[in-house]
PDB file of all heavy atoms in Angstrom:
ATOM      1  N   LEU S  28      34.437 -46.173  62.097  1.00 91.00           N
ATOM      2  CA  LEU S  28      33.146 -45.468  62.089  1.00 91.00           C
ATOM      3  C   LEU S  28      33.324 -43.984  61.779  1.00 91.00           C
ATOM      4  O   LEU S  28      32.548 -43.398  61.022  1.00 91.00           O
ATOM      5  CB  LEU S  28      32.436 -45.639  63.438  1.00 91.00           C
ATOM      6  CG  LEU S  28      31.888 -47.025  63.744  1.00 91.00           C
ATOM      7  CD1 LEU S  28      31.345 -47.074  65.176  1.00 91.00           C
ATOM      8  CD2 LEU S  28      30.806 -47.409  62.752  1.00 91.00           C
ATOM      9  N   VAL S  29      34.354 -43.391  62.361  1.00 90.00           N
ATOM     10  CA  VAL S  29      34.638 -41.979  62.087  1.00 90.00           C
ATOM     11  C   VAL S  29      35.013 -41.804  60.613  1.00 90.00           C
ATOM     12  O   VAL S  29      34.547 -40.875  59.953  1.00 90.00           O
ATOM     13  CB  VAL S  29      35.753 -41.448  63.018  1.00 90.00           C
ATOM     14  CG1 VAL S  29      36.182 -40.046  62.606  1.00 90.00           C
ATOM     15  CG2 VAL S  29      35.286 -41.458  64.467  1.00 90.00           C
ATOM     16  N   ILE S  30      35.827 -42.702  60.106  1.00 91.00           N
ATOM     17  CA  ILE S  30      36.226 -42.630  58.695  1.00 91.00           C
ATOM     18  C   ILE S  30      34.994 -42.739  57.796  1.00 91.00           C
ATOM     19  O   ILE S  30      34.837 -41.954  56.849  1.00 91.00           O
ATOM     20  CB  ILE S  30      37.267 -43.721  58.354  1.00 91.00           C
ATOM     21  CG1 ILE S  30      38.603 -43.393  59.025  1.00 91.00           C
ATOM     22  CG2 ILE S  30      37.425 -43.859  56.841  1.00 91.00           C
ATOM     23  CD1 ILE S  30      39.643 -44.499  58.921  1.00 91.00           C
ATOM     24  N   GLN S  31      34.098 -43.684  58.072  1.00 93.00           N
ATOM     25  CA  GLN S  31      32.886 -43.839  57.271  1.00 93.00           C
ATOM     26  C   GLN S  31      32.067 -42.557  57.265  1.00 93.00           C
ATOM     27  O   GLN S  31      31.586 -42.109  56.219  1.00 93.00           O
ATOM     28  CB  GLN S  31      32.024 -44.987  57.815  1.00 93.00           C
ATOM     29  CG  GLN S  31      32.585 -46.354  57.565  1.00 93.00           C
ATOM     30  CD  GLN S  31      31.776 -47.438  58.283  1.00 93.00           C
ATOM     31  OE1 GLN S  31      30.749 -47.174  58.907  1.00 93.00           O
ATOM     32  NE2 GLN S  31      32.250 -48.668  58.191  1.00 93.00           N
ATOM     33  N   SER S  32      31.914 -41.960  58.433  1.00 94.00           N
ATOM     34  CA  SER S  32      31.135 -40.730  58.549  1.00 94.00           C
ATOM     35  C   SER S  32      31.780 -39.590  57.775  1.00 94.00           C
ATOM     36  O   SER S  32      31.099 -38.860  57.041  1.00 94.00           O
ATOM     37  CB  SER S  32      31.001 -40.360  60.029  1.00 94.00           C
ATOM     38  OG  SER S  32      30.393 -39.108  60.179  1.00 94.00           O
ATOM     39  N   ARG S  33      33.090 -39.435  57.912  1.00 94.00           N
ATOM     40  CA  ARG S  33      33.798 -38.351  57.223  1.00 94.00           C
ATOM     41  C   ARG S  33      33.812 -38.560  55.710  1.00 94.00           C
ATOM     42  O   ARG S  33      33.665 -37.611  54.955  1.00 94.00           O
ATOM     43  CB  ARG S  33      35.227 -38.223  57.755  1.00 94.00           C
ATOM     44  CG  ARG S  33      35.299 -37.766  59.198  1.00 94.00           C
ATOM     45  CD  ARG S  33      34.791 -36.368  59.406  1.00 94.00           C
ATOM     46  NE  ARG S  33      35.687 -35.427  58.734  1.00 94.00           N
ATOM     47  CZ  ARG S  33      35.379 -34.170  58.471  1.00 94.00           C
ATOM     48  NH1 ARG S  33      34.216 -33.682  58.814  1.00 94.00           N
ATOM     49  NH2 ARG S  33      36.234 -33.401  57.853  1.00 94.00           N
ATOM     50  N   VAL S  34      33.963 -39.807  55.269  1.00 95.00           N
ATOM     51  CA  VAL S  34      33.939 -40.096  53.828  1.00 95.00           C
ATOM     52  C   VAL S  34      32.560 -39.753  53.260  1.00 95.00           C
ATOM     53  O   VAL S  34      32.454 -39.145  52.184  1.00 95.00           O
ATOM     54  CB  VAL S  34      34.335 -41.564  53.544  1.00 95.00           C
ATOM     55  CG1 VAL S  34      33.977 -41.964  52.121  1.00 95.00           C
ATOM     56  CG2 VAL S  34      35.821 -41.769  53.801  1.00 95.00           C
ATOM     57  N   ALA S  35      31.510 -40.102  53.975  1.00 95.00           N
ATOM     58  CA  ALA S  35      30.157 -39.769  53.520  1.00 95.00           C
ATOM     59  C   ALA S  35      29.980 -38.257  53.427  1.00 95.00           C
ATOM     60  O   ALA S  35      29.427 -37.742  52.444  1.00 95.00           O
ATOM     61  CB  ALA S  35      29.114 -40.386  54.454  1.00 95.00           C
ATOM     62  N   TYR S  36      30.468 -37.543  54.427  1.00 95.00           N
ATOM     63  CA  TYR S  36      30.371 -36.083  54.433  1.00 95.00           C
ATOM     64  C   TYR S  36      31.143 -35.483  53.260  1.00 95.00           C
ATOM     65  O   TYR S  36      30.631 -34.635  52.527  1.00 95.00           O
ATOM     66  CB  TYR S  36      30.895 -35.536  55.765  1.00 95.00           C
ATOM     67  CG  TYR S  36      31.018 -34.038  55.797  1.00 95.00           C
ATOM     68  CD1 TYR S  36      29.888 -33.239  55.969  1.00 95.00           C
ATOM     69  CD2 TYR S  36      32.261 -33.419  55.648  1.00 95.00           C
ATOM     70  CE1 TYR S  36      29.998 -31.858  55.991  1.00 95.00           C
ATOM     71  CE2 TYR S  36      32.379 -32.048  55.671  1.00 95.00           C
ATOM     72  CZ  TYR S  36      31.255 -31.274  55.839  1.00 95.00           C
ATOM     73  OH  TYR S  36      31.358 -29.911  55.853  1.00 95.00           O
ATOM     74  N   ILE S  37      32.372 -35.929  53.074  1.00 94.00           N
ATOM     75  CA  ILE S  37      33.205 -35.431  51.973  1.00 94.00           C
ATOM     76  C   ILE S  37      32.559 -35.781  50.628  1.00 94.00           C
ATOM     77  O   ILE S  37      32.564 -34.974  49.699  1.00 94.00           O
ATOM     78  CB  ILE S  37      34.635 -35.988  52.073  1.00 94.00           C
ATOM     79  CG1 ILE S  37      35.350 -35.391  53.282  1.00 94.00           C
ATOM     80  CG2 ILE S  37      35.430 -35.720  50.800  1.00 94.00           C
ATOM     81  CD1 ILE S  37      36.656 -36.087  53.652  1.00 94.00           C
ATOM     82  N   GLY S  38      32.005 -36.995  50.544  1.00 95.00           N
ATOM     83  CA  GLY S  38      31.349 -37.420  49.312  1.00 95.00           C
ATOM     84  C   GLY S  38      30.201 -36.508  48.932  1.00 95.00           C
ATOM     85  O   GLY S  38      30.044 -36.141  47.757  1.00 95.00           O
ATOM     86  N   LYS S  39      29.383 -36.133  49.898  1.00 95.00           N
ATOM     87  CA  LYS S  39      28.264 -35.221  49.629  1.00 95.00           C
ATOM     88  C   LYS S  39      28.785 -33.834  49.263  1.00 95.00           C
ATOM     89  O   LYS S  39      28.294 -33.207  48.322  1.00 95.00           O
ATOM     90  CB  LYS S  39      27.351 -35.130  50.843  1.00 95.00           C
ATOM     91  CG  LYS S  39      26.507 -36.350  51.062  1.00 95.00           C
ATOM     92  CD  LYS S  39      25.632 -36.208  52.287  1.00 95.00           C
ATOM     93  CE  LYS S  39      24.887 -37.504  52.543  1.00 95.00           C
ATOM     94  NZ  LYS S  39      24.121 -37.447  53.792  1.00 95.00           N
ATOM     95  N   LYS S  40      29.759 -33.370  50.012  1.00 95.00           N
ATOM     96  CA  LYS S  40      30.287 -32.016  49.796  1.00 95.00           C
ATOM     97  C   LYS S  40      30.967 -31.891  48.433  1.00 95.00           C
ATOM     98  O   LYS S  40      30.854 -30.867  47.776  1.00 95.00           O
ATOM     99  CB  LYS S  40      31.271 -31.678  50.911  1.00 95.00           C
ATOM    100  CG  LYS S  40      31.711 -30.249  50.932  1.00 95.00           C
ATOM    101  CD  LYS S  40      32.531 -29.940  52.165  1.00 95.00           C
ATOM    102  CE  LYS S  40      32.914 -28.473  52.169  1.00 95.00           C
ATOM    103  NZ  LYS S  40      33.616 -28.097  53.363  1.00 95.00           N
ATOM    104  N   ARG S  41      31.668 -32.937  48.006  1.00 95.00           N
ATOM    105  CA  ARG S  41      32.423 -32.901  46.750  1.00 95.00           C
ATOM    106  C   ARG S  41      31.726 -33.631  45.599  1.00 95.00           C
ATOM    107  O   ARG S  41      32.297 -33.769  44.535  1.00 95.00           O
ATOM    108  CB  ARG S  41      33.807 -33.526  46.956  1.00 95.00           C
ATOM    109  CG  ARG S  41      34.641 -32.875  48.012  1.00 95.00           C
ATOM    110  CD  ARG S  41      35.165 -31.559  47.533  1.00 95.00           C
ATOM    111  NE  ARG S  41      36.020 -30.979  48.557  1.00 95.00           N
ATOM    112  CZ  ARG S  41      36.411 -29.736  48.559  1.00 95.00           C
ATOM    113  NH1 ARG S  41      36.053 -28.944  47.588  1.00 95.00           N
ATOM    114  NH2 ARG S  41      37.168 -29.280  49.527  1.00 95.00           N
ATOM    115  N   SER S  42      30.504 -34.101  45.839  1.00 95.00           N
ATOM    116  CA  SER S  42      29.730 -34.830  44.825  1.00 95.00           C
ATOM    117  C   SER S  42      30.530 -35.988  44.226  1.00 95.00           C
ATOM    118  O   SER S  42      30.618 -36.149  43.010  1.00 95.00           O
ATOM    119  CB  SER S  42      29.278 -33.873  43.710  1.00 95.00           C
ATOM    120  OG  SER S  42      28.481 -32.843  44.240  1.00 95.00           O
ATOM    121  N   LEU S  43      31.099 -36.807  45.092  1.00 94.00           N
ATOM    122  CA  LEU S  43      31.894 -37.947  44.640  1.00 94.00           C
ATOM    123  C   LEU S  43      30.987 -39.091  44.183  1.00 94.00           C
ATOM    124  O   LEU S  43      29.890 -39.279  44.692  1.00 94.00           O
ATOM    125  CB  LEU S  43      32.811 -38.440  45.758  1.00 94.00           C
ATOM    126  CG  LEU S  43      33.864 -37.459  46.259  1.00 94.00           C
ATOM    127  CD1 LEU S  43      34.668 -38.090  47.395  1.00 94.00           C
ATOM    128  CD2 LEU S  43      34.784 -37.006  45.140  1.00 94.00           C
ATOM    129  N   GLU S  44      31.482 -39.851  43.239  1.00 95.00           N
ATOM    130  CA  GLU S  44      30.780 -41.030  42.743  1.00 95.00           C
ATOM    131  C   GLU S  44      30.926 -42.167  43.762  1.00 95.00           C
ATOM    132  O   GLU S  44      31.886 -42.183  44.549  1.00 95.00           O
ATOM    133  CB  GLU S  44      31.378 -41.468  41.403  1.00 95.00           C
ATOM    134  CG  GLU S  44      31.220 -40.448  40.287  1.00 95.00           C
ATOM    135  CD  GLU S  44      29.763 -40.241  39.899  1.00 95.00           C
ATOM    136  OE1 GLU S  44      28.996 -41.226  39.911  1.00 95.00           O
ATOM    137  OE2 GLU S  44      29.402 -39.085  39.588  1.00 95.00           O
ATOM    138  N   PRO S  45      29.999 -43.150  43.738  1.00 94.00           N
ATOM    139  CA  PRO S  45      30.090 -44.267  44.686  1.00 94.00           C
ATOM    140  C   PRO S  45      31.430 -45.008  44.644  1.00 94.00           C
ATOM    141  O   PRO S  45      31.954 -45.383  45.689  1.00 94.00           O
ATOM    142  CB  PRO S  45      28.936 -45.182  44.267  1.00 94.00           C
ATOM    143  CG  PRO S  45      27.938 -44.264  43.637  1.00 94.00           C
ATOM    144  CD  PRO S  45      28.766 -43.196  42.951  1.00 94.00           C
ATOM    145  N   ASP S  46      31.985 -45.200  43.449  1.00 95.00           N
ATOM    146  CA  ASP S  46      33.272 -45.901  43.374  1.00 95.00           C
ATOM    147  C   ASP S  46      34.407 -45.061  43.974  1.00 95.00           C
ATOM    148  O   ASP S  46      35.351 -45.594  44.545  1.00 95.00           O
ATOM    149  CB  ASP S  46      33.601 -46.319  41.941  1.00 95.00           C
ATOM    150  CG  ASP S  46      33.711 -45.149  40.972  1.00 95.00           C
ATOM    151  OD1 ASP S  46      32.990 -44.148  41.152  1.00 95.00           O
ATOM    152  OD2 ASP S  46      34.519 -45.247  40.024  1.00 95.00           O
ATOM    153  N   GLU S  47      34.312 -43.741  43.890  1.00 95.00           N
ATOM    154  CA  GLU S  47      35.303 -42.861  44.516  1.00 95.00           C
ATOM    155  C   GLU S  47      35.197 -42.932  46.035  1.00 95.00           C
ATOM    156  O   GLU S  47      36.214 -42.955  46.737  1.00 95.00           O
ATOM    157  CB  GLU S  47      35.124 -41.419  44.041  1.00 95.00           C
ATOM    158  CG  GLU S  47      35.417 -41.225  42.566  1.00 95.00           C
ATOM    159  CD  GLU S  47      35.044 -39.850  42.068  1.00 95.00           C
ATOM    160  OE1 GLU S  47      33.928 -39.362  42.380  1.00 95.00           O
ATOM    161  OE2 GLU S  47      35.878 -39.253  41.372  1.00 95.00           O
ATOM    162  N   LEU S  48      33.968 -42.979  46.530  1.00 94.00           N
ATOM    163  CA  LEU S  48      33.751 -43.113  47.978  1.00 94.00           C
ATOM    164  C   LEU S  48      34.331 -44.425  48.484  1.00 94.00           C
ATOM    165  O   LEU S  48      34.997 -44.460  49.521  1.00 94.00           O
ATOM    166  CB  LEU S  48      32.259 -43.043  48.313  1.00 94.00           C
ATOM    167  CG  LEU S  48      31.573 -41.708  48.115  1.00 94.00           C
ATOM    168  CD1 LEU S  48      30.070 -41.856  48.309  1.00 94.00           C
ATOM    169  CD2 LEU S  48      32.140 -40.678  49.066  1.00 94.00           C
ATOM    170  N   THR S  49      34.057 -45.503  47.761  1.00 94.00           N
ATOM    171  CA  THR S  49      34.571 -46.819  48.150  1.00 94.00           C
ATOM    172  C   THR S  49      36.085 -46.824  48.154  1.00 94.00           C
ATOM    173  O   THR S  49      36.719 -47.304  49.105  1.00 94.00           O
ATOM    174  CB  THR S  49      34.036 -47.907  47.195  1.00 94.00           C
ATOM    175  OG1 THR S  49      32.609 -47.896  47.247  1.00 94.00           O
ATOM    176  CG2 THR S  49      34.552 -49.274  47.577  1.00 94.00           C
ATOM    177  N   PHE S  50      36.695 -46.278  47.115  1.00 94.00           N
ATOM    178  CA  PHE S  50      38.151 -46.211  47.022  1.00 94.00           C
ATOM    179  C   PHE S  50      38.736 -45.420  48.191  1.00 94.00           C
ATOM    180  O   PHE S  50      39.681 -45.876  48.854  1.00 94.00           O
ATOM    181  CB  PHE S  50      38.558 -45.560  45.693  1.00 94.00           C
ATOM    182  CG  PHE S  50      40.032 -45.371  45.538  1.00 94.00           C
ATOM    183  CD1 PHE S  50      40.848 -46.430  45.170  1.00 94.00           C
ATOM    184  CD2 PHE S  50      40.616 -44.136  45.774  1.00 94.00           C
ATOM    185  CE1 PHE S  50      42.224 -46.261  45.037  1.00 94.00           C
ATOM    186  CE2 PHE S  50      41.989 -43.949  45.635  1.00 94.00           C
ATOM    187  CZ  PHE S  50      42.787 -45.017  45.267  1.00 94.00           C
ATOM    188  N   LEU S  51      38.168 -44.259  48.471  1.00 93.00           N
ATOM    189  CA  LEU S  51      38.657 -43.415  49.558  1.00 93.00           C
ATOM    190  C   LEU S  51      38.541 -44.128  50.904  1.00 93.00           C
ATOM    191  O   LEU S  51      39.500 -44.164  51.688  1.00 93.00           O
ATOM    192  CB  LEU S  51      37.878 -42.093  49.582  1.00 93.00           C
ATOM    193  CG  LEU S  51      38.261 -41.074  50.627  1.00 93.00           C
ATOM    194  CD1 LEU S  51      39.726 -40.673  50.507  1.00 93.00           C
ATOM    195  CD2 LEU S  51      37.361 -39.846  50.520  1.00 93.00           C
ATOM    196  N   GLN S  52      37.398 -44.730  51.158  1.00 92.00           N
ATOM    197  CA  GLN S  52      37.203 -45.426  52.430  1.00 92.00           C
ATOM    198  C   GLN S  52      38.142 -46.619  52.564  1.00 92.00           C
ATOM    199  O   GLN S  52      38.708 -46.845  53.634  1.00 92.00           O
ATOM    200  CB  GLN S  52      35.751 -45.880  52.567  1.00 92.00           C
ATOM    201  CG  GLN S  52      35.485 -46.489  53.927  1.00 92.00           C
ATOM    202  CD  GLN S  52      34.019 -46.589  54.220  1.00 92.00           C
ATOM    203  OE1 GLN S  52      33.222 -45.807  53.729  1.00 92.00           O
ATOM    204  NE2 GLN S  52      33.659 -47.559  55.039  1.00 92.00           N
ATOM    205  N   GLU S  53      38.318 -47.385  51.502  1.00 91.00           N
ATOM    206  CA  GLU S  53      39.226 -48.542  51.554  1.00 91.00           C
ATOM    207  C   GLU S  53      40.663 -48.107  51.850  1.00 91.00           C
ATOM    208  O   GLU S  53      41.355 -48.723  52.662  1.00 91.00           O
ATOM    209  CB  GLU S  53      39.176 -49.321  50.248  1.00 91.00           C
ATOM    210  CG  GLU S  53      37.926 -50.143  50.094  1.00 91.00           C
ATOM    211  CD  GLU S  53      37.828 -50.822  48.729  1.00 91.00           C
ATOM    212  OE1 GLU S  53      38.719 -50.619  47.869  1.00 91.00           O
ATOM    213  OE2 GLU S  53      36.857 -51.571  48.528  1.00 91.00           O
ATOM    214  N   LYS S  54      41.111 -47.045  51.187  1.00 91.00           N
ATOM    215  CA  LYS S  54      42.492 -46.582  51.409  1.00 91.00           C
ATOM    216  C   LYS S  54      42.689 -46.077  52.842  1.00 91.00           C
ATOM    217  O   LYS S  54      43.714 -46.320  53.454  1.00 91.00           O
ATOM    218  CB  LYS S  54      42.858 -45.480  50.406  1.00 91.00           C
ATOM    219  CG  LYS S  54      42.977 -45.983  48.983  1.00 91.00           C
ATOM    220  CD  LYS S  54      44.064 -47.027  48.874  1.00 91.00           C
ATOM    221  CE  LYS S  54      44.190 -47.543  47.469  1.00 91.00           C
ATOM    222  NZ  LYS S  54      45.162 -48.624  47.333  1.00 91.00           N
ATOM    223  N   LEU S  55      41.698 -45.375  53.374  1.00 89.00           N
ATOM    224  CA  LEU S  55      41.833 -44.837  54.722  1.00 89.00           C
ATOM    225  C   LEU S  55      41.754 -45.921  55.797  1.00 89.00           C
ATOM    226  O   LEU S  55      42.404 -45.827  56.834  1.00 89.00           O
ATOM    227  CB  LEU S  55      40.768 -43.771  54.976  1.00 89.00           C
ATOM    228  CG  LEU S  55      40.955 -42.476  54.200  1.00 89.00           C
ATOM    229  CD1 LEU S  55      39.751 -41.574  54.385  1.00 89.00           C
ATOM    230  CD2 LEU S  55      42.227 -41.770  54.618  1.00 89.00           C
ATOM    231  N   THR S  56      40.963 -46.954  55.566  1.00 86.00           N
ATOM    232  CA  THR S  56      40.841 -48.018  56.573  1.00 86.00           C
ATOM    233  C   THR S  56      41.962 -49.046  56.482  1.00 86.00           C
ATOM    234  O   THR S  56      42.105 -49.865  57.379  1.00 86.00           O
ATOM    235  CB  THR S  56      39.479 -48.716  56.497  1.00 86.00           C
ATOM    236  OG1 THR S  56      39.264 -49.194  55.173  1.00 86.00           O
ATOM    237  CG2 THR S  56      38.345 -47.782  56.897  1.00 86.00           C
ATOM    238  N   LEU S  57      42.760 -49.009  55.436  1.00 85.00           N
ATOM    239  CA  LEU S  57      43.901 -49.919  55.324  1.00 85.00           C
ATOM    240  C   LEU S  57      45.068 -49.511  56.233  1.00 85.00           C
ATOM    241  O   LEU S  57      45.893 -50.330  56.573  1.00 85.00           O
ATOM    242  CB  LEU S  57      44.412 -49.980  53.872  1.00 85.00           C
ATOM    243  CG  LEU S  57      43.571 -50.804  52.918  1.00 85.00           C
ATOM    244  CD1 LEU S  57      44.148 -50.690  51.502  1.00 85.00           C
ATOM    245  CD2 LEU S  57      43.521 -52.250  53.343  1.00 85.00           C
ATOM    246  N   VAL S  58      45.097 -48.246  56.611  1.00 71.00           N
ATOM    247  CA  VAL S  58      46.187 -47.728  57.436  1.00 71.00           C
ATOM    248  C   VAL S  58      46.051 -48.295  58.845  1.00 71.00           C
ATOM    249  O   VAL S  58      45.018 -48.128  59.487  1.00 71.00           O
ATOM    250  CB  VAL S  58      46.161 -46.179  57.486  1.00 71.00           C
ATOM    251  CG1 VAL S  58      47.252 -45.641  58.378  1.00 71.00           C
ATOM    252  CG2 VAL S  58      46.284 -45.612  56.084  1.00 71.00           C
ATOM    253  N   PRO S  59      47.074 -48.992  59.369  1.00 66.00           N
ATOM    254  CA  PRO S  59      46.979 -49.529  60.726  1.00 66.00           C
ATOM    255  C   PRO S  59      46.975 -48.423  61.777  1.00 66.00           C
ATOM    256  O   PRO S  59      47.580 -47.377  61.561  1.00 66.00           O
ATOM    257  CB  PRO S  59      48.220 -50.423  60.864  1.00 66.00           C
ATOM    258  CG  PRO S  59      49.165 -49.943  59.824  1.00 66.00           C
ATOM    259  CD  PRO S  59      48.355 -49.314  58.727  1.00 66.00           C
ATOM    260  N   GLN S  60      46.311 -48.677  62.881  1.00 57.00           N
ATOM    261  CA  GLN S  60      46.185 -47.742  64.003  1.00 57.00           C
ATOM    262  C   GLN S  60      45.545 -46.456  63.561  1.00 57.00           C
ATOM    263  O   GLN S  60      45.908 -45.376  63.928  1.00 57.00           O
ATOM    264  CB  GLN S  60      47.527 -47.467  64.674  1.00 57.00           C
ATOM    265  CG  GLN S  60      48.109 -48.680  65.299  1.00 57.00           C
ATOM    266  CD  GLN S  60      49.401 -48.383  66.038  1.00 57.00           C
ATOM    267  OE1 GLN S  60      49.877 -47.271  66.109  1.00 57.00           O
ATOM    268  NE2 GLN S  60      49.984 -49.407  66.603  1.00 57.00           N
TER     269      GLN S  60
END
């Protein structure tokens, strides 16, 4: 949930495309613990 919130914030701040947001969120949530 924290990752989703931060990715959304970063996406707005950096004007990221939806596919960039998805990629970033997937990579961050793949990390265990």
Side-chain angles (χ1 to χ4, degrees):
L28 289 174
V29 172
I30 290 172
Q31 288 173 4
S32 173
R33 293 295 293 164
V34 166
Y36 172 78
I37 291 167
K39 287 179 185 175
K40 189 172 182 176
R41 302 286 183 194
S42 301
L43 297 179
E44 296 294 324
D46 61 327
E47 294 172 314
L48 291 172
T49 301
F50 177 79
L51 181 58
Q52 185 164 332
E53 285 175 358
K54 291 299 180 184
L55 290 172
T56 55
L57 284 176
V58 178
Q60 296 184 1

